[in-house]
Amino acid sequence: MSNIYGDWLKAQRETAGLTQQQLADAAIMTRSHISHIEAGRRVPSKEDARRLDRALNTGNVLSSFLPEEDAAVADYFEAALLLEQQAAMIQEFALTLVPGILQTDRYARAVLRPAFPPRSEEECDRLVVTRLERAKILDDPVTPVVWTLLDEAVLRRPIGSAEIMSEQMMHIVRLAERERVRVHILPFNLGYHPLLQGVLSLMSFEDQPPAAYGEGVLMGKLHDSPALVQRLQHTYTRALGDALPHKESVALLRATAEGYGHHD
């Protein structure tokens, strides 16, 4: 993206006589996040932009002139979407739904169509296209490396129809069999595991610090505090150690697809 926004933020900060750390303290952010915004590597959330405006006494300039992102994603996911496209490695945990980059067209539509207030067919089409565009990062045979950790609930809760679920399970199987993704299932009989509280995506990069994105109902948060990202990474690694091995997980996905009616 153009770095006009980052350059302007840096100019305003320097005019105010603030270091990156001083601005971070005033805006309740991390210094590394300020650094990445100024360098054009990250886009602030709308709330971050409002805090920057208050800290720099710039009215609503930083809030009003955020770089344009795809309008077909929730505003709290915009910054994470940008990083997802840049990541060298993505480690996903999904609690109830297949992660967005692994969703098929029909599964995505079954997830996105129900809403209140209801969505028009045109809006639903736009959302589905955006989600499928995200999946194009898997067209590259090597980068990003993708590890997917799925709670067994993702397999068992029928979304749309049995046919849609079967198609979706086999899509993940094929990605795994051609070694494009690694997949592990956390079985129900494990009981409690430390990731049960939400959805998590860990992203690492070749030229910038790692980041984490967590999401709940109609809310999400991007984290780049090194201590917090490391803690989330440890939590993910602990859960991964309790999951089924890759081959067993793929076999379970295939068996689940057959249970929904798939036949080779």
Side-chain angles (χ1 to χ4, degrees):
M1 70 179 185
S2 167
N3 196 32
I4 294 174
Y5 189 92
D7 289 341
W8 196 86
L9 172 61
K10 181 178 180 180
Q12 296 305 306
R13 174 179 61 77
E14 291 178 343
T15 298
L18 299 175
T19 65
Q20 288 182 342
Q21 186 61 61
Q22 288 170 330
L23 177 57
D25 292 341
I28 318 175
M29 297 167 65
T30 64
R31 187 208 61 78
S32 62
H33 194 24
I34 299 292
S35 175
H36 292 318
I37 295 170
E38 290 187 353
R41 291 191 294 267
R42 295 193 180 176
V43 176
S45 67
K46 291 181 179 178
E47 179 56 33
D48 284 344
R50 282 192 286 267
R51 289 201 296 266
L52 288 168
D53 272 326
R54 288 196 295 269
L56 292 168
N57 196 29
T58 49
N60 66 347
V61 175
L62 288 162
S63 302
S64 299
F65 294 99
L66 279 169
E68 288 290 334
E69 296 294 333
D70 196 320
V73 296
D75 57 0
Y76 53 78
F77 184 66
E78 290 176 354
L81 175 62
L82 178 65
L83 294 183
E84 184 180 76
Q85 304 300 309
Q86 300 172 354
M89 182 174 187
I90 299 173
Q91 294 172 288
E92 297 263 24
F93 168 69
L95 184 59
T96 56
L97 297 172
V98 171
I101 60 173
L102 301 182
Q103 291 182 7
T104 64
D105 184 325
R106 294 203 297 169
Y107 185 95
R109 192 172 298 277
V111 170
L112 294 167
R113 187 69 181 94
F116 186 83
R119 292 187 174 114
S120 67
E121 199 64 36
E122 293 75 14
E123 182 181 5
C124 188
D125 287 344
R126 185 166 55 90
L127 292 169
V128 170
V129 167
T130 298
R131 186 153 298 187
L132 296 179
E133 284 292 318
R134 288 174 56 200
K136 288 185 177 180
I137 60 175
L138 298 176
D139 290 347
D140 186 304
V142 178
T143 304
V145 174
V146 176
W147 286 63
T148 303
L149 184 58
L150 304 176
D151 190 274
E152 189 175 349
V154 176
L155 284 62
R156 304 304 181 194
R157 181 180 298 279
I159 303 297
S161 67
E163 183 181 359
I164 289 172
M165 286 298 294
S166 178
E167 178 185 68
Q168 176 63 74
M169 297 300 103
M170 286 307 300
H171 176 64
I172 300 173
V173 166
R174 293 186 186 101
L175 287 171
E177 288 182 338
R178 71 174 208 251
E179 300 185 351
R180 187 59 191 86
V181 304
R182 297 281 298 182
V183 60
H184 297 270
I185 309 297
L186 280 163
F188 280 143
N189 62 16
L190 175 64
Y192 175 82
H193 62 80
L195 292 176
L196 274 176
Q197 300 175 51
V199 174
L200 177 65
S201 180
L202 298 163
M203 295 169 281
S204 57
F205 310 86
E206 294 181 354
D207 59 353
Q208 55 182 297
Y213 174 75
E215 188 169 288
V217 179
L218 298 180
M219 64 184 70
K221 177 68 175 177
L222 183 67
H223 305 282
D224 62 1
S225 163
L228 180 55
V229 173
Q230 184 178 56
R231 182 178 175 185
L232 291 169
Q233 179 68 68
H234 290 166
T235 301
Y236 185 94
T237 301
R238 177 184 169 189
L240 188 62
D242 291 330
L244 297 178
H246 175 70
K247 287 185 178 180
E248 290 182 27
S249 296
V250 173
L252 179 56
L253 282 163
R254 183 181 289 278
T256 303
E258 292 173 353
Y260 280 118
H262 171 83
H263 300 286
D264 285 327

